[in-house]
Amino acid sequence: MVYTLFIEINEIGAIMKAEEFKTFDEALETLTPHQRGLVTAHLHKLGHVQSVTPLIESRVLSSPACPKCGHSHIAHWGSASGLQRYRCKACKSTFNALTGTPLARLRHKDKWLDYAQQLADGHSVRHSASACDVHRNTAFRWRHRFLTLPNAQKATRLVGIAEADETFFLESFKGKKQGMGRAARKRGGKATKRGLSDEQIPVLICRDRTGSTADFLLDKADKEHISAVLKPLLASDAVLCTDSGKALGAVVREMGITHRPINLAAGIRVVAKVYHVQNVNAYDSRLKMWMQRFHGVATHYLSNYLGWRRLVDRNNRSLSSTAFLSAVLGINYVQQVTVT
C-alpha cells in the first residue's frame, strides 16, 4: 500500500486526474500512523528537491557557459540525477549545473536547504547532523564543501575611509591525532604563553564605511606580510584608519596613501569626528563572540569560518536557507528571485 502511494506521490508533479486523486485521498485514511509518517517524510523530501532543483538550474540559465572551456554555445543533453545535462558545442564536453562547483556529485539534495539553514543559524556539526538526519562526519564534510565559495567572496577593493586591525586566534590542531608537537588541548584550551606569541595566528581585518569586508590569514603580522595583502586592496585615494600598530603604519607610509592613526592607548577614540576604528573593532568583537560556540576552530579550516562569518554579517545575521544556498552556489539571490 505505502509503495503504491509513493508511486502515486511521485506522479503528482504531473497533472493528477480527479478520479486518481480521489482514490489517493481515500487510501490515505487507511494508513497506520507509521505509514502516514513515511508519506509525510516523502512529501517533505519531494518538496525540498523541487525547491532546490530550480535554484541549481538557474546557475546555467542566468549565465550559460561551459565550465571546461567557457564557451557560451551549449545545448540540452538529456538529464541525470534529477538535473538537466548540457553539451558544449565547442569542446563537446557534457555537464550539469553543479559541474565545477563545490557541491558537484554531492548527494541528498533534499537535505541541502535544511543544512543551509543550519549554517545560516550557526549551529554545531552535531546539531546540524541531528537536524538533517545525516552522520556527523557527513555534516562536517558538507560544512566545508558549503563554505568553499563564501570563503572566496570577500571585498577586492576598499574605497573612501577604510579601517584595518589585526586580531589573533589560538593555533589549533583540532581533529589531528599526530604531529602536533605539543600535548592536545580540550575544547579550544588556552595558550601556554601570555600575550602574543607563535601560538597565535594573526588575521588582518579590513572594512570600509560601506561595510565591504576583507580578511586575511597571515603567517606573521609584520610589514612584509601585511603589505602583500593590503596594497592590492586599497584604492589610491583611500584614507586608512588604524590603531598605533607599527607594522600597519609602515605599510601605509610605503603605499603613500592618507593615514589616520588612532591612539587608543591615550584614550583617543575619534579624530576629527570621522576617523576611527570602531567599525572594524566592532566586527572583530562580533567575530570572536560568534566563534566561541565552536570551542576552538582548527587553523586549517579557519579561513572557511571567516568566510562563513562574512556571509552572515553581510546579511545582518538573518539568512534564509535559500539565500544561504544561493551564496554557496555562487548565485545572486536577488537575481534568483527574479528568475523564479
Side-chain angles (χ1 to χ4, degrees):
M1 172 67 73
V2 175
Y3 176 75
T4 304
L5 281 172
F6 279 1
I7 293 175
E8 292 177 349
I9 290 171
N10 281 322
E11 292 174 349
I12 291 178
I15 299 176
M16 180 178 279
K17 296 180 180 179
E19 293 181 0
E20 294 175 337
F21 183 78
K22 183 178 180 180
T23 302
F24 170 77
D25 188 46
E26 292 173 350
L28 288 175
E29 297 179 1
T30 66
L31 298 181
T32 66
H34 175 67
Q35 291 172 333
R36 289 177 185 175
L38 292 176
V39 172
T40 301
H42 194 72
L43 287 172
H44 178 78
K45 177 179 178 179
L46 288 176
H48 275 253
V49 170
Q50 290 170 356
S51 297
V52 168
T53 301
L55 187 65
I56 295 171
E57 297 291 6
S58 70
R59 293 190 69 255
V60 176
L61 296 176
S62 62
S63 180
C66 172
K68 184 176 181 180
C69 69
H71 204 277
S72 60
H73 290 175
I74 60 176
H76 287 204
W77 200 257
S79 62
S81 302
L83 293 177
Q84 174 68 52
R85 290 198 64 80
Y86 303 90
R87 185 171 186 261
C88 176
K89 294 184 178 181
C91 67
K92 311 303 181 184
S93 62
T94 60
F95 58 94
N96 64 24
L98 289 176
T99 301
T101 74
L103 302 191
R105 300 181 183 278
L106 202 64
R107 299 181 181 180
H108 304 298
K109 296 182 185 67
D110 57 294
K111 299 182 179 182
W112 288 7
L113 278 178
D114 286 339
Y115 191 77
Q117 190 61 60
Q118 293 297 307
L119 290 176
D121 294 338
H123 289 304
S124 67
V125 166
R126 289 180 183 273
H127 187 285
S128 302
S130 176
C132 299
D133 192 26
V134 296
H135 193 274
R136 62 181 180 274
N137 291 347
T138 299
F140 177 81
R141 288 193 297 269
W142 279 18
R143 170 177 289 186
H144 296 291
R145 291 276 288 272
F146 274 58
L147 294 178
T148 300
L149 280 184
N151 178 13
Q153 293 168 347
K154 64 177 71 175
T156 57
R157 200 71 167 168
L158 300 185
V159 298
I161 300 175
E163 304 171 24
D165 188 34
E166 307 106 324
T167 189
F168 295 83
F169 292 89
L170 186 61
E171 185 178 32
S172 173
F173 297 99
K174 192 174 183 179
K176 195 171 184 179
K177 302 297 183 182
Q178 298 177 346
M180 293 187 292
R182 58 165 175 78
R185 293 193 295 258
K186 186 176 181 179
R187 299 183 72 80
K190 297 181 179 179
T192 58
K193 302 176 184 177
R194 296 181 61 184
L196 299 180
S197 67
D198 56 4
E199 293 182 80
Q200 305 287 342
I201 304 299
V203 175
L204 180 66
I205 308 289
C206 305
R207 283 171 67 88
D208 63 21
R209 298 296 167 83
T210 67
S212 297
T213 306
D215 46 54
F216 307 93
L217 264 70
L218 305 176
D219 292 332
K220 292 183 179 180
D222 58 12
K223 177 185 174 182
E224 177 185 356
H225 291 87
I226 292 176
S227 177
V229 298
L230 202 57
K231 284 183 176 180
L233 182 66
L234 293 175
S236 59
D237 58 349
V239 177
L240 185 65
C241 302
T242 70
D243 58 17
S244 53
K246 294 182 179 179
L248 272 168
V251 172
V252 175
R253 287 192 297 273
E254 185 179 274
M255 293 176 63
I257 66 173
T258 304
H259 183 211
R260 290 288 184 263
I262 311 299
N263 193 348
L264 299 177
I268 299 174
R269 296 289 183 269
V270 182
V271 175
K273 298 183 178 180
V274 293
Y275 302 117
H276 57 76
V277 288
Q278 295 172 4
N279 187 7
V280 71
N281 284 343
Y283 182 86
D284 287 350
S285 179
R286 294 194 299 271
L287 172 64
K288 287 293 185 70
M289 187 177 298
W290 180 78
M291 284 284 203
Q292 288 177 3
R293 69 187 68 190
F294 303 114
H295 303 287
V297 171
T299 301
H300 178 72
Y301 296 110
L302 180 55
S303 61
N304 281 349
Y305 285 81
L306 294 175
W308 184 358
R309 181 60 210 179
R310 280 198 313 274
L311 175 57
V312 172
D313 201 81
R314 193 162 58 238
N315 291 273
N316 298 318
R317 301 170 296 283
S318 179
L319 270 172
S320 69
S321 57
T322 304
F324 199 102
L325 187 57
S326 297
V328 167
L329 292 168
I331 300 170
N332 184 312
Y333 182 56
V334 174
Q335 178 182 355
Q336 171 61 18
V337 171
T338 303
V339 170
T340 59

